[in-house]
């Protein structure tokens, strides 16, 4: 199972914002869409950063609510680890565990084409395990 299979199931839509969006607007987007992170896009669909609920909480915790009017560019993570469609779920799990984050934008030919969260990965892993168990039961019953 790979990233392409996950995107086929969940779709390729990604919530994005530009680097000049305020932290408050970013927090509103997270709340409105029920998501945990926003990919920050530059020109021509290039990924220039990622901001998660953790970054917003950290900024408020460190400097107080006045940061909410600041542009997200000062608080986003700029070195974004991305995935490709051909990457396996095991690779994503390994990256997420190593770097301790829960989201990976999917990029092909320099353009953002999807986003995989740790929730998507776990869901796929459970589906795989259930399919294997069903195949095993079938094999035993008909064997
Ligand atoms: P998360 O666990 O995804 O909410 O993010 C935890 C921290 O990692 C935050 O500071 C994010 O900005 C950062 N982060 C999330 N996803 C990525 C990613 N794919 N590449 C680099 N940093 C990330």
């Amino acid at each position: 199972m790979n990233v392409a299979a996950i995107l086929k199931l969940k779709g390729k839509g990604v919530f994005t914002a530009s680097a000049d969006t305020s932290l408050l607007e970013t927090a509103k987007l997270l709340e409105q869409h029920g998501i945990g992170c926003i990919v920050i896009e530059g020109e021509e669909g290039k990924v220039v950063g990622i901001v998660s609920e953790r970054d917003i909480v950290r900024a408020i915790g460190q400097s107080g609510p006045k940061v909410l009017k600041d542009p997200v560019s000062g608080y986003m993570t700029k070195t974004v680890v991305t995935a490709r469609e051909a990457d396996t779920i095991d690779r994503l799990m390994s990256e997420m565990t190593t770097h301790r984050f829960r989201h990976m934008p999917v990029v092909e030919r320099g353009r953002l084409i999807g986003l995989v969260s740790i929730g998507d990965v776990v869901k796929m892993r459970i589906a795989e395990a259930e399919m294997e168990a069903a195949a095993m039961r079938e094999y035993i019953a008909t064997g």
Side-chain angles (χ1 to χ4, degrees):
M1 225 33 120
N2 62 10
V3 169
I6 296 181
L7 294 187
K8 204 169 167 190
L9 273 181
K10 73 170 281 197
K12 292 192 169 183
V14 188
F15 294 106
T16 62
S18 59
D20 59 0
T21 309
S22 71
L23 269 198
L24 180 60
E25 278 307 315
T26 309
K28 281 183 183 171
L29 288 172
L30 295 179
E31 188 277 320
Q32 280 161 8
H33 299 297
I35 52 174
C37 95
I38 298 264
V39 177
I40 307 301
E41 260 188 332
E43 280 168 20
E44 293 173 12
K46 287 210 173 64
V47 174
V48 296
I50 190 163
V51 63
S52 92
E53 51 206 0
R54 285 196 190 175
D55 299 309
I56 299 176
V57 169
R58 189 185 306 126
I60 296 170
Q62 283 173 353
S63 310
K66 66 177 189 294
V67 295
L68 288 170
K69 60 180 179 356
D70 292 349
V72 72
S73 53
Y75 303 94
M76 66 190 189
T77 302
K78 291 181 181 157
T79 310
V80 183
V81 181
T82 59
R84 304 198 58 177
E85 282 193 297
D87 287 339
T88 61
I89 292 179
D90 281 349
R91 169 154 192 271
L92 262 61
M93 285 173 75
S94 155
E95 292 281 7
M96 287 180 182
T97 309
T98 306
H99 300 289
R100 295 171 182 270
F101 52 55
R102 300 166 291 180
H103 303 91
M104 282 181 78
V106 184
V107 173
E108 287 292 343
R109 293 190 194 93
R111 281 181 169 270
L112 177 67
I113 61 153
L115 182 123
V116 176
S117 73
I118 200 161
D120 301 324
V121 169
V122 170
K123 211 162 125 186
M124 210 65 177
R125 259 291 138 88
I126 291 171
E128 267 182 343
E130 281 171 355
M131 264 158 38
E132 275 170 23
M136 194 66 83
R137 278 197 297 272
E138 173 81 11
Y139 175 74
I140 292 165
T142 57

